[in-house]
Amino acid sequence: MSKRKYVKQPLSEWMKGEGPDSDVVISSRVRIARNIRSMPFPMMAEPQQSQSVMEQLLDVAESGRLNGLGQLERIRLSDLTELEKLVLVEKHLISPNLANESRNGALILSPNEAISIMINEEDHLRIQCLCSGFQIRQAWDWASKIDDIFEEQVDYAFDEKHGYLTSCPTNVGTGIRASVMMHLPALVITGQINRILSAVTQVGLAVRGLYGEGSEAAGNLFQVSNQITLGQSEQEIIENLHQVARQMIEHEKAARTKLLSESRPRVEDRIRRSFGILTQAMIMDSKEASQRLSDIRLGVHLGLIDDVKDQTLNELLVSTQPGFLQQTYGEALSPEQRDMTRAELIRSRLATGS
Amino acid sequence: MPGMRQTPRNAAFYENREWGKNGAAYLRNVRQGKGRTHPGNASRVSIHSLLSGLLDFEATKANGGTKQVGLQCENCGMTYTQFSKIGRFGCSHCYKQFSERLDPLLKRVHGNTVHVGKVPKRAGGKLKTKRDIDRLKKEMQGKIEREDFEAAAQLRDRIRELEKEMNG
């Protein structure tokens, strides 16, 4: 069955390491939340109601109206194992909420995995568009077009005053959450990061780690996203995020140049040590892996390491996660086996240099 | 639209899964996957627990210290008390039912209470006309105050046309 591809292979569109400013920005994402008028939100829906929501929304994909996106995969969450769900979470294709809490949850996925449409998550419909590099405007354009297609078929819960109505009041209005995933090692090393992040939170944006709300910023990866969804237009929200992210990118690039010119031996030493450890170590926990892989990524972008691709590093971000490791190497791995398998995987990927 | 209900249709759902008691902690447990290692589960304050803190605060303030339990959504049966605990609405109709309590909350979360972004195309035509009418009415008022009655009459005719268009 072709759904296996989505859980077996780490590669998604967002991991390609392409697109503008991909030396700092890993991916850009826009998520739109929508609901069907008069139908209770998923949390309050009776099983037959959430069933009918699922059928109605899956029908839009079936009708051929979304064919511009390619051959779509329609996956019912009930057809997946727990481990397969976890893998989809680790690939950022579905939310933990859809994986764990949904009833009659479903997923519509484009072949390159850039578009994932979640059904019966916290809201009836969540359209997510995930692009590689700094392409937040592009992500919004795509997501908005898909929104228009659904709107032709579905009567949305919309109110003149409050806009698109969502289950959580933090999403009401535009229903959009736009985010940019950035790798900011030089700002961390030079001690500028806290000042910058506190400035960012003062202009209505939130900063989180790799896996969203509550996750730590492991591996110097920071996700910057809009907080406000009501009272600003989508264009204002996207432009605000775009401008702030643009400034952060420039600061990071300046810090990298400064690092290289002022303390090259120390930086190079740090990067090569990490490279040595990753290519030799037998046991690697996930925290150390993300730190050292961050060093490698910095080394690649400073031109100190030249035979490792961004795509390899992005795939490793996902394939070294616990769920993915178990999926690849068999269901029951003890924590120590997991750390050994992780070390083995990293050694082999860095050795082939592909 | 489904009929009126006196009790939440999923009351049992809340009690069983302890949402009513401590929604945020429940959600955190679920997300942590009980034993399985999940990404993104460092100890944290969930957005919903923050929200329900705010909501409780608003509710208490609005009633001079005593919480009112009477408010309930006619469509899905969710009570305001439940909403203030979970921090999430039961259906789109809750927005109307709880509207008197909503603006202070939205103001705190978003700094705003009125949507200015995208509008569904189908609802768009009518909504745009309505906004045009509101704008023209204001303009007409201005003309009347400046005793420019000819211009005001022209605006009045335009408003009538738009109103006919909208209702027809």
Side-chain angles (χ1 to χ4, degrees):
Chain A
M1 217 178 140
S2 57
K3 91 176 185 219
R4 300 296 161 196
K5 171 183 162 251
Y6 303 109
V7 290
K8 292 280 187 215
Q9 292 172 7
L11 182 66
S12 278
E13 178 70 20
W14 70 265
M15 298 173 206
K16 283 192 170 164
E18 293 167 355
D21 299 290
S22 57
D23 52 343
V24 178
V25 179
I26 295 184
S27 62
S28 306
R29 184 184 80 117
V30 169
R31 181 273 282 149
I32 302 182
R34 297 287 186 256
N35 287 284
I36 302 175
R37 188 181 293 280
S38 294
M39 195 62 105
F41 295 145
M43 188 185 67
M44 280 295 262
E46 301 275 14
Q48 74 269 22
Q49 290 173 320
S50 55
Q51 171 83 26
S52 104
V53 166
M54 179 174 79
E55 301 297 343
Q56 191 185 349
L57 295 174
L58 285 176
D59 279 353
V60 177
E62 197 125 7
S63 70
R65 288 185 173 78
L66 293 169
N67 278 1
L69 305 174
Q71 188 69 40
L72 296 172
E73 196 74 26
R74 293 184 298 276
I75 303 166
R76 284 172 168 78
L77 269 280
S78 55
D79 292 341
L80 299 176
T81 65
E82 289 304 308
L83 194 54
E84 287 170 334
K85 290 181 203 171
L86 181 58
V87 165
L88 290 174
V89 171
E90 288 172 351
K91 291 178 81 174
H92 294 275
L93 298 179
I94 64 174
S95 62
N97 191 340
L98 187 75
N100 298 318
E101 287 179 60
S102 65
R103 290 177 300 175
N104 286 316
L107 169 70
I108 302 169
L109 202 57
S110 72
N112 63 1
E113 305 180 12
I115 312 280
S116 65
I117 299 166
M118 288 176 261
I119 297 172
N120 281 326
E121 206 246 19
E122 186 179 287
D123 296 295
H124 293 141
L125 179 64
R126 288 203 163 184
I127 300 163
Q128 171 179 284
C129 183
L130 193 53
C131 299
S132 179
F134 191 33
Q135 303 195 68
I136 194 69
R137 291 170 178 152
Q138 178 76 65
W140 159 246
D141 282 349
W142 286 351
S144 181
K145 282 194 182 107
I146 295 165
D147 176 42
D148 292 341
I149 293 169
F150 274 95
E151 195 238 312
E152 286 169 13
Q153 298 301 303
V154 178
D155 195 11
Y156 279 155
F158 180 85
D159 163 317
E160 202 179 303
K161 182 181 176 200
H162 295 124
Y164 294 94
L165 305 178
T166 53
S167 175
C168 184
T170 54
N171 293 320
V172 72
T174 57
I176 76 165
R177 190 79 65 216
S179 64
V180 178
M181 180 75 71
M182 295 194 247
H183 183 232
L184 306 173
L187 290 177
V188 173
I189 293 170
T190 57
Q192 299 176 71
I193 194 72
N194 287 338
R195 190 172 52 80
I196 287 177
L197 295 186
S198 79
V200 167
T201 53
Q202 277 167 21
V203 293
L205 300 175
V207 184
R208 302 186 170 108
L210 178 60
Y211 283 99
E213 192 188 322
S215 64
E216 273 179 71
N220 301 320
L221 294 170
F222 298 87
Q223 187 178 222
V224 180
S225 62
N226 67 301
Q227 288 277 72
I228 293 166
T229 57
L230 183 67
Q232 290 182 358
S233 70
E234 291 84 354
Q235 282 70 26
E236 287 175 280
I237 291 168
I238 299 290
E239 281 315 304
N240 182 26
L241 178 64
H242 191 276
Q243 282 176 20
V244 172
R246 163 59 53 210
Q247 288 182 40
M248 293 173 77
I249 294 167
E250 297 311 327
H251 280 296
E252 168 66 20
K253 286 182 176 173
R256 287 181 190 180
T257 310
K258 198 169 167 228
L259 268 185
L260 211 49
S261 66
E262 289 177 9
S263 31
R264 175 163 181 150
R266 292 186 60 169
V267 171
E268 194 164 352
D269 179 66
R270 171 182 169 143
I271 288 164
R272 293 196 183 282
R273 276 171 189 273
S274 284
F275 194 78
I277 287 169
L278 287 175
T279 49
Q280 296 296 324
M282 297 300 289
I283 300 173
M284 182 62 60
D285 66 37
S286 63
K287 194 173 177 192
E288 183 178 1
S290 59
Q291 271 308 326
R292 303 227 177 262
L293 284 168
S294 167
D295 287 343
I296 305 301
R297 192 185 290 271
L298 178 63
V300 169
H301 295 139
L302 290 178
L304 301 173
I305 294 177
D306 51 21
D307 47 3
V308 180
K309 287 184 193 160
D310 278 338
Q311 183 177 316
T312 308
L313 292 168
N314 292 341
E315 285 183 44
L316 278 174
L317 271 186
V318 168
S319 60
T320 57
Q321 296 292 328
F324 216 97
L325 283 175
Q326 295 209 359
Q327 171 79 20
T328 313
Y329 292 91
E331 297 264 328
L333 287 175
S334 69
E336 197 183 31
Q337 283 175 317
R338 205 192 286 151
D339 290 350
M340 289 170 70
T341 324
R342 180 181 292 115
E344 183 191 325
L345 176 69
I346 295 173
R347 285 199 311 272
S348 72
R349 291 307 307 269
L350 291 183
T352 58
S354 62
Chain B
M1 195 171 285
M4 304 255 289
R5 264 167 197 274
Q6 294 312 311
T7 51
R9 66 178 50 148
N10 277 334
F13 183 63
Y14 290 108
E15 306 315 325
N16 290 344
R17 299 174 66 176
E18 300 199 332
W19 253 345
K21 287 180 197 156
N22 189 346
Y26 167 70
L27 290 172
R28 262 202 310 281
N29 286 338
V30 171
R31 284 190 188 143
Q32 284 175 6
K34 281 172 197 155
R36 265 183 301 127
T37 319
H38 244 292
N41 63 359
S43 65
R44 65 205 170 99
V45 181
S46 136
I47 184 75
H48 296 116
S49 70
L50 273 177
L51 262 182
S52 66
L54 280 179
L55 286 161
D56 264 354
F57 177 69
E58 297 295 348
T60 315
K61 207 173 59 174
N63 293 290
T66 49
K67 269 192 233 173
Q68 182 191 324
V69 287
L71 213 51
Q72 184 174 25
C73 175
E74 291 171 359
N75 183 44
C76 71
M78 179 174 272
T79 64
Y80 189 82
T81 314
Q82 283 176 318
F83 167 63
S84 69
K85 280 187 177 137
I86 319 168
R88 291 191 284 182
F89 295 104
C91 70
S92 49
H93 203 62
C94 291
Y95 278 89
K96 279 211 172 63
Q97 301 276 302
F98 305 152
S99 64
E100 52 179 289
R101 304 275 188 83
L102 222 50
D103 280 0
L105 167 74
L106 294 175
K107 189 103 189 155
R108 270 159 181 266
V109 175
H110 298 287
N112 285 294
T113 57
V114 180
H115 176 60
V116 295
K118 193 171 174 177
V119 165
K121 285 201 182 93
R122 276 187 290 175
K126 264 195 174 170
L127 189 58
K128 192 177 165 294
T129 313
K130 201 163 170 229
R131 284 188 178 159
D132 284 347
I133 292 174
D134 289 346
R135 187 176 47 80
L136 290 174
K137 277 185 178 162
K138 262 187 209 146
E139 228 172 277
M140 182 174 74
Q141 208 55 44
K143 298 285 182 201
I144 292 172
E145 276 160 24
R146 283 190 295 277
E147 301 187 356
D148 184 355
F149 297 111
E150 202 176 321
Q154 280 175 3
L155 286 169
R156 181 202 57 207
D157 294 344
R158 179 73 191 128
I159 291 167
R160 281 190 185 152
E161 266 172 45
L162 287 175
E163 278 173 344
K164 209 185 271 175
E165 202 177 285
M166 202 171 72
N167 300 325

